[in-house]
Amino acid sequence: MMTTAVRPPLSAPTREEDSMSTCFAIARRKDSEGLPPEDASRVGAMRRLVRARLKYCGLQRMSDDVAVIVSELLTNAILHSGGEQITFVMTVRDSSLRISVHDEMPGNLEIRPVNSDAETGRGLCLVASLVDAHHGTWGVSDAGATTWCSLPC
């Protein structure tokens, strides 16, 4: 006689209960240096991971804007923190998507005016615009070491 075990199918978490977190080392760099190639590849990998996670949660309609937000927050942390490690957390709870990037180094985060010819410096302005377009909020905590945003789902 053969016995077969039947397991219920695994289901994706609901929007109310999903969270992912990762921590990674970043290259030491001088203020005048750009984004090191290994860190640029980490930013790209996080964009792809975020898109996949949002699809898994049924929130793929947000994935383009969220990928830009994640990219800008991570790049800003890598370029301006002076730290050696980044912690990224994305949580979907109570019909809200929260993203936080912690770079270990307190500091003053501000949106600065940028010359129209400048090739950099628009990241936080872009984040603020996208968050506003989704009727969300963003800010800093931990004395400027953590940048976060919250978007309604």
Side-chain angles (χ1 to χ4, degrees):
M1 178 176 202
M2 180 193 270
T3 304
T4 305
V6 178
R7 294 184 187 162
L10 295 176
S11 60
T14 65
R15 290 183 186 179
E16 314 314 320
E17 59 183 69
D18 189 67
S19 185
M20 69 176 224
S21 175
T22 187
C23 184
F24 55 89
I26 57 174
R28 295 292 267 158
R29 51 175 293 285
K30 296 178 183 169
D31 285 340
S32 60
E33 294 176 331
L35 192 64
E38 60 272 23
D39 292 336
S41 71
R42 284 186 186 93
V43 172
M46 288 306 300
R47 276 193 310 264
R48 290 186 296 279
L49 183 59
V50 162
R51 284 179 182 277
R53 197 62 180 211
L54 290 172
K55 183 177 181 180
Y56 178 73
C57 292
L59 298 171
Q60 58 269 26
R61 65 179 166 68
M62 301 176 74
S63 65
D64 289 341
D65 289 348
V66 172
V68 171
I69 291 169
V70 166
S71 181
E72 294 300 334
L73 292 180
L74 287 173
T75 300
N76 193 63
I78 293 167
L79 289 176
H80 302 296
S81 73
E84 298 178 3
Q85 182 172 286
I86 301 288
T87 302
F88 171 84
V89 179
M90 185 173 82
T91 305
V92 178
R93 182 177 298 129
D94 300 327
S95 298
S96 179
L97 171 69
R98 181 174 168 88
I99 298 164
S100 68
V101 176
H102 180 79
D103 62 26
E104 300 185 317
M105 301 296 287
N108 294 325
L109 184 71
E110 61 185 67
I111 297 176
R112 291 181 243 148
V114 179
N115 181 320
S116 62
D117 295 336
E119 293 183 18
T120 62
R122 293 177 180 82
L124 288 179
C125 186
L126 185 56
V127 168
S129 294
L130 288 170
V131 169
D132 187 52
H134 285 273
H135 307 289
T137 57
W138 77 280
V140 295
S141 55
D142 302 322
T146 301
T147 308
W148 58 269
C149 73
S150 183
L151 306 170
C153 297

